Structure formats: structure tokens, C-alpha cells
Amino acid sequence: MKLIIDTDPGIDDAMAIAYAVAAPEIDLIGLTTVFGNTHVHQSSRNARFLLNKLGLDIPVAEGAAYPLGSDTHAPSEHVHGPEGFGDLTEILEIGSNHDLPAAEFLVEMARIHKGELVVCAVGPLTNIANAMRLDPEFTGNLGQLVIMGGAVFCSGNITEHAEANIYHDALAADEVFSAPPDTVLVGLDVTLKTLYETADFEDLARRSPDMGAFLRDISRFYLNFYREVGGLEGCGLHDSTAVIACSHGSMFNMVETGLRVETEGDRLGATQPDPARSVVRVCRNVDGAGVVRLFTERVASLP
Ligand code: BDR
Ligand code: CA
């Protein structure tokens, strides 16, 4: 499967990228970056750093620095650390970004790999909405869009009503859901059922002394956030779960519904069913232990 991850690395984004590189059925052909967990230039630098560490030479196309609407949001430093990788603050600038901006790169790749390309969006949906605005054929050219975002049947994580990726650009998310491609939504409804605990990171680091240990080290900060704010002894494998859904749909229980997103007021970023809109497959349940196992097996195969 040809895959592009649209991402804001970010600790769980780093885990998802490592998983995609390790998964034999995935041909990762590029990363597009977006603001969110970090400023976009930090997302791009972190993406290039990771790819270099993973030994993969593929394009990183930088995307949106701000949401479509007027609201801007500070990076989630309290969740992902000041540079996006927890306590790690010295991150080398390696290589440079692709010539095309993210939305143009997505449009171009979808055209070249018509019907085959899967885009897994694990940050705010600004680049996806921009690609849809740029090319009316983008939606039809895509094989599938898999989104990490939303909290359709459960509470949010950034507010009571909203999940962070959707909240950070509610307008873009609503635009995507107003005329969605073939789309699977992997929201908090399932990603909080895939908790990765300290012992899982230790096991991963033992089996993969370079990449696994790197992920364990940057995740300490993230695990502390989960412990202090959520009282949880593990972090959600949010973005990895979405990448896993790209190829292992049978591990998920999905319901079909149209969706709309609140774009203002107290419920900003809430994702709610709207029968008048084209259907999206919303993941409602997951084999959480299976996702955790699969993640570890694959990432442990990396050096
Ligand atoms: C999502 O928000 C970000 O903090 C994570 O990287 C993930 O994509 C979870 O709500
Ligand atoms: Ca993310």
C-alpha cells in the first residue's frame, strides 16, 4: 500500500512513522507536515530527523503553519515538549523540505497513484482541506483517507467536547467531512483503548536498541502528561492506531455515519453525527491488545 502520513511530530506521531517504516505491507512514499503539536517548521525538522534515523530517503513536504479559520493555537508543548520530542531539545536539522508545499504534493501524488494512494492524517486537517480546495479531483483520486481525530461517542481530550487534531482546525475538519473521500475516522473512541505502558516501552527498547530506545526516551514526558492529567498509566497509541487501521481494518468495529464539526462556541471542535452528509466509517471499537501487540512486533524489528 502506498502511504503518505500527514503529521505534526509529536511523540505519538514519531511512533506512527516508525511503525509505518517497519510494516511490510506499507510503502511509505512521503510525509507532509502541519502545525499542531509543534510549529510547522519543528514538525518538518522532526520528520526529517526521524526519517534519517530510520534510514529512509523520502520527501517531507511542509504544509500549513496556521488553521484555515481565524483562531490560532499555541503548540501542545505541555503534551509533547518544547520541540515536540519530550525532553529532547537538541534535534538536528537534516536535509531540506521538498520543493512543493504539502497540499500540492498531496494533489500530485494522488494524481500519479490514482485510486491507490492512502493518506493517513494524524494532525489538524488543514493540508487535506487545502488539497481538496486546490484540486476538485483530489477526493476521487485518493484510494482512502484515514484520519486520527475526533471523539464521536466519547468525551474529548483538549476540551470536554473536542479531540485535539479536530479542535486545532475545526473549519478544515468540517470542510473535509462535508464532501469526504472514502474515509475512516480513528478517534479517541478507539485510540484510548490502545494504551502503551512503561513496561511496553521497556520491552520495545530492549528489542530495538536504537529506534525502540529513542521512542522510549522521548515518551517519558508524554507518559508523565497522561499520568498527571488523565490519571492513566500509559499513553494512547493515537497516531499508530490510525496507521494500523490503514491495513488492518478487521481489527476495528466501524459504524457508518455522516459527520459535522462545531466551528464555534463552547463545543468548538466537537465531531457529531449528521445524517445529511456523506458517510464516513467511524471506528467505534478496537482490539486494543491486538493493536499494542502488532505495534510492538513491527517496531521491535527495527534496529
Ligand atoms: C492527537 O493529538 C496529538 O496530540 C497527537 O499527536 C494525536 O495526533 C490525539 O488527540
Ligand atoms: Ca499527531
Side-chain angles (χ1 to χ4, degrees), residues 8 12-13 37 80 122 148 157 163-165 188 222 238-239:
D8 56 342
D12 64 317
D13 300 72
N37 296 327
H80 293 268
V122 297
M148 191 285 127
N157 58 356
E163 180 281 329
N165 287 340
L188 299 180
Y222 199 47
H238 302 292
D239 295 351

Side-chain angles (χ1 to χ4, degrees), residues 195-279:
L195 282 197
Y196 212 66
E197 302 181 0
T198 304
D200 296 314
F201 280 109
E202 289 303 334
D203 179 36
L204 192 65
R206 194 177 42 77
R207 294 165 65 183
S208 165
D210 187 15
M211 197 60 205
F214 173 78
L215 294 176
R216 175 200 57 192
D217 292 347
I218 63 172
S219 295
R220 288 198 179 106
F221 190 96
Y222 199 47
L223 285 166
N224 278 342
F225 170 80
Y226 272 83
R227 194 173 299 118
E228 279 164 22
V229 176
L232 294 170
E233 277 310 316
C235 59
L237 282 183
H238 302 292
D239 295 351
S240 302
T241 305
V243 173
I244 288 172
C246 297
S247 55
H248 287 68
S250 61
M251 296 177 89
F252 298 80
N253 190 276
M254 305 185 194
V255 291
E256 295 196 342
T257 177
L259 285 177
R260 90 188 144 78
V261 178
E262 288 295 337
T263 55
E264 53 189 21
D266 288 353
R267 293 178 53 84
L268 178 73
T271 35
Q272 37 215 17
D274 181 347
R277 286 194 162 176
S278 311
V279 298

